[in-house]
Amino acid sequence: MKSSRELLELDKILSAVSEYAVLEESKAALCELRPTEDLSAAHTLLSYTEEATRLLFTLGAGRVEYFPPRGDILERAEKGAALSCGELLSCARMLRSVRVLYDSVTRLADEQIVLFRELCAQLEFDARLEREIGDKIVSEDTIADDASEKLFSIRREIRLLGERIRARLARYLAGDEKKYLQDGLITVRGDRFVIPVKAEYKRAVRGFVHDRSQSGATVFIEPEEVLEMNNELMDLAVDEKEEEERILKDLSGRVGRMRAALEHSLSLVCEADTFFARAEYGYRIKAKRPLPNAKGIIDIKKGRHPLLDEKKAVPVSVAVGENYRFLLLSGANTGGKTVTLKMCGLFCLMAACGLFVPAEEGARLSIGRVFCDVGDSQSIEENLSTFSSHIVNLREILKEAGENSFVLIDEPGGGTDPEEGQALAKAVLAALMRKGCRGIVTTHYSALKEFAYETEGIENGSMAFDAGDHRPLYELKMGAPGSSNALAICEQLGLAAETVEEARGYLSEGARTFERTIRAAEESRIRAEKLVLETEELRRTWEERTAALSREEEKFRKERERFLMSSKAEARRIVSERTAEAEEILAKIEEIFKKETLSESDLIRARTLKNTMNRGTMSEEEPPIRAEKLDPNSLKAGMRVRIGSMQTDGVVLSVGREKAEIQAGAIRVKVSKDDLYKPAPQKKEEESVQLRRDLSVRREAFPEINLIGMTTAEMEPELEQFLDGAVLAGVKEVRIVHGMGTGKLRAAVHALLKKHPHIEGFRLGKYGEGESGVTIATLK
């Protein structure tokens, strides 16, 4: 009997996850992963994966650095063996991988990283040893010259001695012995410097023959005079090798002494690598964290089988185990029943392995034993037919499954007589219900669909089918069984129409009636769903239109309020300006009348200032009077005239050639005849003009204004009106409350105060004054 792990293809998922692991050990661990049946352990695994996802894709940290498989390196080092240069470099990479993981996680201050911080707290490494290995070991087979002072000294002596030997042998290449040499070069045989001599002259060169060429034409001779130097060179080579072995042994010993700690740390690094692989796989398939439970409950929204093409797969929503224990899934062949069933079981196993699932956030999945009988398990070796293999699987399921186990059975009772198969399927489903199991069963049996209607705790569901186009829609519909539509699909697949029609004739009347009923119900449901969708679309459209009208109405209301406030502010500004102008004119007139004696020009200037003030205060309903000019020849004493330059009336006292003397109120002035006009019509009651400075406050001014909750547009007219009142009241300092908030209102208040003509300066409130939520302004 194949395990649920194999039948639901969890192995393929884990193999895909392992591709994202960095370390070979991590890849192997993922491929051999077994789903946990402990709810607490599942929560922990998923939390690790969630933190790994945050580290990788939000914080940009947490990648594990590669190091080669450990093998027995650490064990041999602990036993005192000297590791090779390459093996020590591998140890350095192990130490570096531990250190990098530790640094990348512990340097973060993110409070959501908890489990990984605890994992990294257990890591042990030796940064100094890692650095020394990197400094002393140059490559897989080379130790650096400066690995130790002694090695540096030995290698220096070897280089110098080699140069001396070459220099001595170079004489043979340039001297009388040159004619005995085969080639003009110095070579090495057996770690000793030699020269190539022609075989016929080997006795002409004193020394020791170390080798002969393959042709025999050349012998390699070590001249006597370099014998001692070559011996010394050999001694130095032995010293060099001993020092290199001492360095390797020292580094290996230090590695061996921390074997236990390093082994534990490397295991933790591998564990972290598996979670980073889980996180990256989940990110690639757009998976979300599920919510595991131990009650056998499945609730998946828009789930997608991870082995299907993301662009082609139709998301499916499934719920089972809470309101009903079993879902009986029916519908057309190739409609997605088996894929949906396998997806639910696979999601449960993925969650139990700490993997996220490609569905909407918060998918509820069962943690516990998952039993599965899916597909054709026919076994030639065990001499089992398809039916027999299913019975073996069902036997084991009924034997092992218990309360809250999740059971998946694809078409029970198949492969034998339909009547007996239906009876068997009912009995199996009833037995599982009595055991307290939960699960999903697919079927084409009409009797089993009727059984689901009659039995409490079982819900019918169907995969939608478009009866018009004869094609599956791959959508799960709850509450009603689905028709198999086998004959319709056969017709679509090209089976002869007469054969399909003949097959329909062989159907029993009961079967035809049941199928027609189911098909009619399905078509009615599809039409109802379309109507619901259309109604929902209309409702949404009208809601959007109503909301748009409400927004326009609110916008109009705010514009109206803003206009009114702006108009009021403008009116206050004009009044304020006119008041200031009038006060300035009154002040100038008062200055004139403070003089002990008034000249004619003073009076004219005072009258001009008065007229200027009057012109500034005239309304459109009271336009200035336009006087008619007098004929200079008609002037005579006693006539009432109007002086144009002074805009006042007077009486003619005497008339000269060019000027006339006029009595204007309490003063006499001489005015040019051309500046005299007919007087204004006199009123019944002579109104006297009084000049008076009215400095009383027009409205009550408050030393504080609260602008909290206002928009910038609402604030400006209110603040300007408040400041105007404060100026008229003679207030020297005001308190403006705008609150802290986002700072936009405060910035707008400060911008207005900077350009206000009556503001001398402003500052934020101090401690006890409201601090940055209040601005204190000083008025001029």
Side-chain angles (χ1 to χ4, degrees):
M1 175 181 175
K2 289 185 179 179
S3 66
S4 299
R5 174 193 176 96
E6 295 174 276
L7 292 171
L8 297 175
E9 300 179 287
L10 177 64
D11 291 335
K12 292 182 180 179
I13 300 297
L14 294 176
S15 178
V17 175
S18 70
E19 294 300 317
Y20 294 101
V22 174
L23 307 174
E24 297 301 325
E25 186 176 336
S26 306
K27 293 178 184 289
L30 284 167
C31 290
E32 297 169 4
L33 194 62
R34 293 290 179 270
T36 182
E37 295 181 7
D38 180 76
L39 180 61
S40 177
H43 275 293
T44 302
L45 292 173
L46 290 169
S47 295
Y48 266 113
T49 304
E50 185 172 38
E51 288 190 14
T53 303
R54 182 169 181 78
L55 284 168
L56 284 177
F57 302 108
T58 301
L59 303 174
R63 256 297 173 209
V64 169
E65 288 206 7
Y66 175 80
F67 59 84
R70 288 174 264 176
D72 63 348
I73 292 176
L74 299 179
E75 182 182 357
R76 289 193 291 109
E78 186 182 35
K79 291 180 178 179
L83 303 179
S84 67
C85 292
E87 289 172 334
L88 282 170
L89 287 176
S90 294
C91 292
R93 296 188 73 173
M94 295 176 196
L95 290 166
R96 174 178 172 78
S97 185
V98 176
R99 177 179 58 80
V100 168
L101 177 61
Y102 177 86
D103 290 343
S104 64
V105 173
T106 55
R107 67 180 173 81
L108 299 172
D110 195 313
E111 295 181 357
Q112 296 184 45
I113 305 302
V114 178
L115 296 174
F116 263 87
R117 204 180 301 281
E118 293 174 357
L119 182 147
C120 288
Q122 303 176 55
L123 297 178
E124 294 185 50
F125 54 90
D126 189 335
R128 181 179 176 185
L129 176 57
E130 174 200 338
R131 186 172 57 254
E132 284 191 29
I133 293 175
D135 291 342
K136 293 180 178 182
I137 309 298
V138 177
S139 66
E140 296 284 329
D141 54 5
T142 307
I143 298 177
D145 290 349
D146 57 356
S148 71
E149 291 184 8
K150 184 176 181 180
L151 183 62
F152 182 84
S153 176
I154 292 171
R155 287 184 175 176
R156 182 172 175 276
E157 289 183 32
I158 288 173
R159 284 193 295 273
L160 293 175
L161 185 56
E163 290 172 3
R164 285 168 53 201
I165 294 173
R166 287 190 185 89
R168 180 66 192 88
L169 293 178
R171 297 176 191 172
Y172 284 87
L173 304 180
D176 295 337
E177 295 90 345
K178 181 179 181 180
K179 59 185 177 182
Y180 306 134
L181 303 183
Q182 188 70 269
D183 298 304
L185 54 84
I186 300 168
T187 186
V188 176
R189 285 293 186 274
D191 294 333
R192 301 178 77 88
F193 286 96
V194 297
I195 55 176
V197 179
K198 295 175 182 178
E200 60 268 26
Y201 297 119
K202 65 180 181 180
R203 300 189 187 282
V205 178
R206 294 176 61 83
F208 299 90
V209 177
H210 282 277
D211 200 1
R212 185 185 299 272
S213 66
Q214 191 171 0
S215 64
T218 304
V219 293
F220 297 93
I221 298 175
E222 177 186 11
E224 287 183 347
E225 55 186 310
V226 298
L227 177 63
E228 288 302 321
M229 286 190 287
N230 267 332
N231 288 340
E232 186 179 350
L233 190 62
M234 294 293 290
D235 289 340
L236 288 172
V238 172
D239 292 342
E240 179 188 25
K241 187 171 182 60
E242 289 178 351
E243 181 60 16
E244 287 179 344
E245 290 179 351
R246 186 196 66 78
I247 293 170
L248 294 176
K249 193 169 183 63
D250 175 63
L251 294 174
S252 300
R254 291 170 63 185
V255 170
R257 284 191 291 275
M258 64 175 304
R259 177 203 170 182
L262 187 54
E263 288 274 13
H264 178 62
S265 296
L266 293 175
S267 297
L268 293 176
V269 171
C270 290
E271 185 179 353
D273 189 29
T274 65
F275 287 113
F276 289 131
R278 289 177 174 98
E280 189 155 356
Y281 174 76
Y283 180 81
R284 301 299 175 193
I285 66 169
K286 299 180 176 62
K288 304 293 183 183
R289 176 174 179 168
L291 300 176
N293 68 87
K295 300 178 180 179
I297 296 173
I298 299 286
D299 189 1
I300 301 169
K301 298 290 190 300
K302 295 185 178 179
R304 173 178 49 80
H305 198 292
L307 294 179
L308 295 179
D309 186 347
E310 177 189 348
K311 297 178 181 178
K312 297 179 181 179
V314 178
V316 178
S317 297
V318 186
V320 62
E322 189 167 28
N323 298 324
Y324 44 88
R325 287 182 172 274
F326 270 87
L327 171 64
L328 187 68
L329 195 54
S330 55
N333 292 296
T334 71
K337 298 189 301 297
T338 303
V339 171
T340 301
L341 176 142
K342 293 177 72 173
M343 179 194 74
C344 293
L346 179 59
F347 277 14
C348 291
L349 297 182
M350 288 175 67
C353 290
L355 289 166
F356 289 3
V357 297
E360 286 190 353
E361 193 90 35
R364 300 168 69 191
L365 300 173
S366 175
I367 300 298
R369 300 198 68 181
V370 176
F371 295 92
C372 188
D373 178 36
V374 179
D376 186 359
S377 300
Q378 180 173 255
S379 173
I380 296 174
E381 293 83 355
E382 297 180 13
N383 195 26
L384 293 175
S385 66
T386 299
F387 177 74
S388 300
S389 65
H390 282 303
I391 296 304
V392 170
N393 289 344
L394 292 175
R395 180 192 67 195
E396 295 301 319
I397 291 172
L398 290 172
K399 179 181 177 182
E400 300 291 335
E403 188 176 0
N404 297 331
S405 294
F406 197 71
V407 180
L408 303 166
I409 305 177
D410 189 23
E411 300 189 23
T416 188
D417 177 75
E419 188 172 350
E420 292 182 343
Q422 291 181 101
L424 177 63
K426 288 182 185 179
V428 169
L429 193 51
L432 292 173
M433 290 284 290
R434 287 193 296 271
K435 280 178 164 284
C437 300
R438 288 170 170 81
I440 302 175
V441 175
T442 66
T443 190
H444 288 288
Y445 289 146
S446 299
L448 204 55
K449 300 172 190 176
E450 294 173 3
F451 178 72
Y453 272 126
E454 298 166 357
T455 307
E456 187 178 354
I458 306 177
E459 180 74 11
N460 268 306
S462 62
M463 303 305 295
F465 187 82
D466 190 329
D469 294 340
H470 299 300
R471 63 182 180 86
L473 300 176
Y474 305 107
E475 295 177 13
L476 175 58
K477 302 298 180 181
M478 301 299 298
S483 172
S484 296
N485 292 288
L487 297 179
I489 292 173
C490 290
E491 193 172 7
Q492 187 187 23
L493 293 175
L495 194 62
E498 57 271 19
T499 303
V500 174
E501 193 58 37
E502 184 177 353
R504 286 196 178 98
Y506 290 138
L507 289 174
S508 67
E509 183 58 34
R512 284 198 297 269
T513 302
F514 186 76
E515 288 296 319
R516 282 197 299 269
T517 302
I518 290 178
R519 194 177 298 113
E522 192 166 351
E523 290 173 358
S524 298
R525 178 184 54 76
I526 292 172
R527 286 195 299 271
E529 285 183 353
K530 287 181 179 179
L531 289 173
V532 168
L533 288 175
E534 291 173 2
T535 304
E536 182 64 23
E537 184 63 28
L538 284 173
R539 184 188 63 78
R540 188 162 48 249
T541 301
W542 281 109
E543 284 182 351
E544 289 175 358
R545 290 180 179 179
T546 304
L549 288 173
S550 297
R551 288 194 296 270
E552 287 297 322
E553 183 181 0
E554 180 65 16
K555 181 179 177 182
F556 175 77
R557 185 186 64 78
K558 289 182 178 180
E559 286 292 335
R560 178 175 174 276
E561 291 178 356
R562 190 179 299 114
F563 175 75
L564 290 174
M565 287 188 287
S566 178
S567 300
K568 290 178 182 179
E570 182 65 17
R572 287 194 298 272
R573 185 187 64 77
I574 292 172
V575 169
S576 178
E577 287 179 358
R578 293 292 183 268
T579 302
E581 290 174 4
E583 289 180 350
E584 186 178 354
I585 292 172
L586 288 171
K588 289 179 180 179
I589 293 174
E590 285 182 354
E591 286 295 325
I592 293 173
F593 283 99
K594 282 180 181 179
K595 295 180 180 181
E596 293 182 2
T597 58
L598 296 175
S599 64
E600 183 180 346
S601 63
D602 289 335
L603 293 173
I604 292 172
R605 182 165 173 250
R607 177 61 66 181
T608 301
L609 289 171
K610 169 183 172 295
N611 291 337
T612 299
M613 183 173 69
N614 289 340
R615 283 196 301 273
T617 56
M618 283 182 181
S619 64
E620 292 183 2
E621 289 75 12
E622 297 178 344
I625 297 171
R626 300 183 63 180
E628 182 181 348
K629 198 167 185 176
L630 285 172
D631 181 2
N633 297 323
S634 65
L635 289 174
K636 61 179 72 174
M639 283 184 66
R640 189 168 182 80
V641 296
R642 185 170 185 80
I643 305 171
S645 59
M646 296 178 63
Q647 285 294 304
T648 188
D649 293 349
V651 178
V652 178
L653 297 178
S654 61
V655 180
R657 294 183 62 182
E658 295 181 358
K659 293 186 178 182
E661 188 176 5
I662 308 296
Q663 180 74 41
I667 60 172
R668 290 184 180 187
V669 292
K670 287 186 177 182
V671 183
S672 172
K673 291 180 179 180
D674 293 334
D675 193 27
L676 298 177
Y677 299 84
K678 286 185 178 181
Q682 290 192 354
K683 298 179 181 179
K684 293 181 180 180
E685 293 184 10
E686 189 69 15
E687 296 179 356
S688 61
V689 177
Q690 295 182 351
L691 298 178
R692 179 170 62 89
R693 295 184 72 182
D694 186 3
L695 299 179
S696 61
V697 182
R698 299 296 190 272
R699 61 186 290 274
E700 185 178 0
F702 296 91
E704 176 180 298
I705 182 171
N706 191 334
L707 305 174
I708 293 175
M710 295 186 183
T711 63
T712 303
E714 294 169 342
M715 170 276 295
E716 289 182 354
E718 287 295 325
L719 182 56
E720 286 183 348
Q721 182 180 0
F722 169 73
L723 293 174
D724 292 345
V727 170
L728 293 176
V731 176
K732 291 299 182 183
E733 189 174 83
V734 294
R735 186 170 182 264
I736 304 167
V737 181
H738 43 66
M740 299 179 185
T742 62
K744 289 184 179 180
L745 187 59
R746 179 176 65 238
V749 168
H750 289 183
L752 188 148
L753 294 177
K754 285 179 182 178
K755 64 184 181 182
H756 198 283
H758 294 297
I759 297 300
E760 183 174 327
F762 60 89
R763 62 176 174 79
L764 288 174
K766 299 177 182 177
Y767 180 76
E769 293 180 329
E771 303 181 26
S772 59
V774 169
T775 295
I776 308 298
T778 304
L779 281 69
K780 295 180 181 178

